[in-house]
């Protein structure tokens, strides 16, 4: 029995609505009732005035940067430990991303480091709610107010997570969501912007679809993108949102089951849930500490031999040497905590529909692998 890191939770309901979209001939990203419905349901879910579908999480982040007029000469503060799409979005606009090192328990950006990195060039902060745990947003929002900065949330891994009872996605100026196959809500590929401000929403909608003209469609208003999500994918998204409570419950139970079994293991750091947050546990991540530091390769290989798939953690921006060389950039200052997570962290099979039997197999093999690595 191979236990994969994630299996998409899609089936008959998604197929039925997607088929309906195709049967109606509404297959593009311009027309179709499912686009409207997905956007309406998702805006309700995040408690925002607008939700704007886009073709991926990466597109959402780039569109956010373009909407906020981030450009050459501007600096954007970004969580160092994230999917590199968050950084690429800043680079696409010719701006400079500044990595902010992580907290060692939530793995989110360390708020205490933020203010010292703000310069007259700083325009925005991208707070990434990593692995489903929200960033401590109030201090971020206070700094943003003080220095007149935009706040973008990267919610790609945190659909439904809350911060002090407030929904993520509506805490800053723009929320960016991903619906890739392994995300909490999926449309295969896809994404969403969540926005409250009327002007920002109008600009995002314009740029998303080639900035078509009003009177003459082909007299364009700006240099736009085609980041539209098709009505067929939106149909899948609508089906997903009908079972969102079930998805979130499954994730929570998956995490609680691992935590109960692993909480007494030495030399590992497990996911946490701060008093200010609800964690939606996109993936169940583990960081090796103490005697297990530097032994990730050995442990992941041992699990693979037992047909248990795991995935190594993100390599932080401060270590993306190939990107820096190619662009003739100098490496930013080190982010020691993010680099340690990236070196000693990996995640366990954590899909929404993982069975307890599968989890028991993972736990059994993991405990054995950890013990072997400790004894070595
Ligand atoms: C998945 C992910 C993205 C990119 O989303 P895509 O839909 O794959 O383009 C961006 N940021 C984070 C934190 C992610 O996990």
């Amino acid at each position: 029995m191979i236990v994969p890191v994630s299996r998409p939770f899609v089936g008959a309901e998604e197929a039925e609505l997607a088929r309906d979209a195709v049967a109606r001939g509404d297959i593009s990203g311009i027309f179709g009732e499912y686009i409207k419905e997905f956007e309406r349901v998702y805006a309700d879910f995040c408690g925002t005035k607008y939700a704007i579908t886009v073709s991926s999480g990466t597109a959402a982040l780039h569109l956010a940067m373009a909407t906020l007029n981030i450009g050459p000469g501007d600096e954007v503060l970004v969580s160092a430990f994230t999917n590199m799409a968050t950084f690429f979005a800043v680079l696409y606009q010719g701006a400079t991303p500044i990595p902010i090192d992580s907290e060692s328990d939530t793995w989110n950006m360390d708020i205490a480091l933020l203010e010292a990195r703000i310069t007259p060039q700083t325009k925005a902060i991208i707070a990434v709610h990593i692995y489903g745990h929200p960033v401590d947003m109030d201090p971020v929002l206070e700094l943003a107010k003080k220095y007149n900065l935009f706040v973008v949330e990267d919610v790609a891994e945190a659909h439904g997570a809350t911060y002090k009872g407030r929904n993520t996605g509506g805490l800053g100026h723009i929320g960016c969501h991903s619906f890739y196959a392994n995300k909490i809500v999926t449309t295969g590929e896809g994404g969403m912007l969540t926005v409250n401000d009327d002007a920002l929403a109008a600009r995002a909608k314009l740029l998303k679809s080639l900035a078509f003209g009003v009177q003459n469609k082909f007299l364009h208003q700006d240099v736009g993108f085609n980041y539209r999500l098709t009505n067929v994918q939106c149909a899948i998204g609508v089906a997903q949102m009908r079972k969102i409570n079930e998805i979130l419950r499954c994730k929570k139970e998956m995490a609680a089951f691992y935590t109960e079994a692993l909480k007494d293991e030495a030399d590992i750091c497990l996911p946490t849930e701060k008093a200010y947050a609800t964690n939606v546990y996109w993936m169940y991540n583990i960081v090796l500490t103490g005697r297990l530091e530097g032994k990730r390769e050995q442990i992941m290989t041992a699990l693979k031999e037992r047909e248990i798939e795991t995935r190594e953690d993100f390599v932080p921006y401060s270590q993306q040497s190939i990107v820096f060389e190619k662009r003739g950039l100098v490496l930013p200052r080190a982010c020691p905590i993010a680099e340690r997570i990236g070196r000693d962290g990996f995640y366990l099979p954590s899909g929404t529909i993982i069975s307890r039997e599968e989890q028991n197999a993972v736990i059994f093999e993991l405990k054995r692998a950890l013990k072997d690595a400790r004894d070595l």
Side-chain angles (χ1 to χ4, degrees):
M1 177 180 67
I2 296 175
V3 188
V5 282
S6 177
R7 219 184 268 122
F9 180 29
V10 291
E13 300 87 352
E14 285 77 9
E16 189 189 322
L17 297 197
R19 164 196 277 271
D20 180 57
V22 174
R24 288 168 192 272
D26 293 337
I27 56 170
S28 80
I30 302 249
F31 301 107
E33 291 306 310
Y34 290 113
I35 302 174
K36 284 185 217 151
E37 186 176 350
F38 190 28
E39 291 179 340
R40 194 180 61 240
V41 169
Y42 205 82
D44 279 353
F45 176 65
C46 293
T48 53
K49 191 164 176 190
Y50 301 95
I52 302 161
T53 50
V54 290
S55 49
S56 70
T58 308
L61 288 157
H62 182 211
L63 187 60
M65 292 296 102
T67 298
L68 298 173
N69 278 311
I70 306 292
D74 294 339
E75 292 177 359
V76 180
L77 308 180
V78 186
S79 305
F81 181 68
T82 179
N83 182 312
M84 278 308 111
T86 322
F87 280 88
F88 293 167
V90 179
L91 292 171
Y92 296 155
Q93 288 297 105
T96 304
I98 307 291
I100 303 296
D101 203 4
S102 317
E103 299 177 326
S104 48
D105 53 354
T106 66
W107 311 314
N108 278 323
M109 62 162 51
D110 186 346
I111 305 310
L113 303 175
L114 266 180
E115 191 161 17
R117 298 287 130 77
I118 296 173
T119 72
Q121 282 71 49
T122 310
K123 287 283 150 55
I125 301 170
I126 309 183
V128 184
H129 306 310
I130 206 76
Y131 292 140
H133 192 293
V135 171
D136 188 6
M137 289 299 287
D138 277 344
V140 177
L141 297 169
E142 268 165 44
L143 281 177
K145 204 166 192 178
K146 181 169 168 193
Y147 293 98
N148 198 21
L149 309 174
F150 290 112
V151 175
V152 173
E153 294 175 84
D154 182 337
V155 203
E157 304 180 358
H159 318 67
T162 61
Y163 173 73
K164 296 185 181 172
R166 287 129 72 192
N167 299 319
T168 52
L171 299 169
H173 295 87
I174 302 182
C176 299
H177 310 249
S178 164
F179 304 129
Y180 177 63
N182 69 11
K183 299 296 160 82
I184 291 173
V185 172
T186 184
T187 60
E189 301 281 356
M192 191 82 85
L193 254 64
T194 46
V195 187
N196 282 311
D197 182 82
D198 296 339
L200 288 179
R203 182 161 164 78
K205 283 182 195 172
L206 182 79
L207 292 177
K208 161 190 155 175
S209 191
L210 294 177
F212 284 124
V214 184
Q215 235 130 50
N216 181 339
K217 182 175 177 184
F218 298 112
L219 185 61
H220 296 258
Q221 310 279 296
D222 205 330
V223 179
F225 315 103
N226 177 355
Y227 283 162
R228 298 185 298 262
L229 188 68
T230 68
N231 189 55
V232 183
Q233 290 164 296
C234 290
I236 296 173
V238 167
Q240 288 269 295
M241 293 310 290
R242 287 181 190 167
K243 58 190 192 193
I244 184 65
N245 290 333
E246 184 188 355
I247 295 173
L248 294 174
R249 181 175 48 76
C250 288
K251 284 284 187 191
K252 205 174 163 150
E253 288 172 3
M254 172 276 293
F257 195 79
Y258 275 137
T259 298
E260 183 54 33
L262 298 173
K263 65 182 191 316
D264 296 327
E265 283 289 310
D267 306 312
I268 56 173
C269 174
L270 302 178
T272 184
E273 189 174 51
K274 294 281 191 180
Y276 56 74
T278 57
N279 190 341
V280 285
Y281 302 100
W282 171 58
M283 291 292 170
Y284 196 90
N285 192 55
I286 285 180
V287 180
L288 304 171
T289 60
R291 281 176 296 164
L292 291 175
E293 267 181 51
K295 294 184 173 170
R296 181 178 70 181
E297 187 74 35
Q298 179 194 337
I299 292 164
M300 287 180 68
T301 305
L303 290 169
K304 196 173 171 204
E305 279 164 6
R306 301 295 183 142
E307 303 200 308
I308 290 170
E309 203 184 24
T310 56
R311 188 90 76 240
E312 61 273 70
D313 276 351
F314 299 119
V315 176
Y317 185 66
S318 51
Q319 293 183 310
Q320 294 291 339
S321 50
I322 300 170
V323 170
F324 288 99
E325 269 162 39
K326 290 211 160 144
R327 299 176 74 92
L329 300 170
V330 286
L331 273 173
R333 80 175 78 203
C335 294
I337 308 286
E339 289 166 19
R340 192 170 59 70
I341 302 164
R343 189 187 66 228
D344 287 321
F346 64 101
Y347 54 78
L348 302 179
S350 319
T352 307
I353 46 173
I354 190 169
S355 69
R356 296 297 162 263
E357 190 191 356
E358 288 173 313
Q359 283 194 275
N360 275 326
V362 174
I363 291 160
F364 180 82
E365 297 298 346
L366 177 67
K367 285 188 173 180
R368 187 214 305 258
L370 294 177
K371 182 174 182 304
D372 288 350
R374 261 190 233 107
D375 291 347
L376 204 79

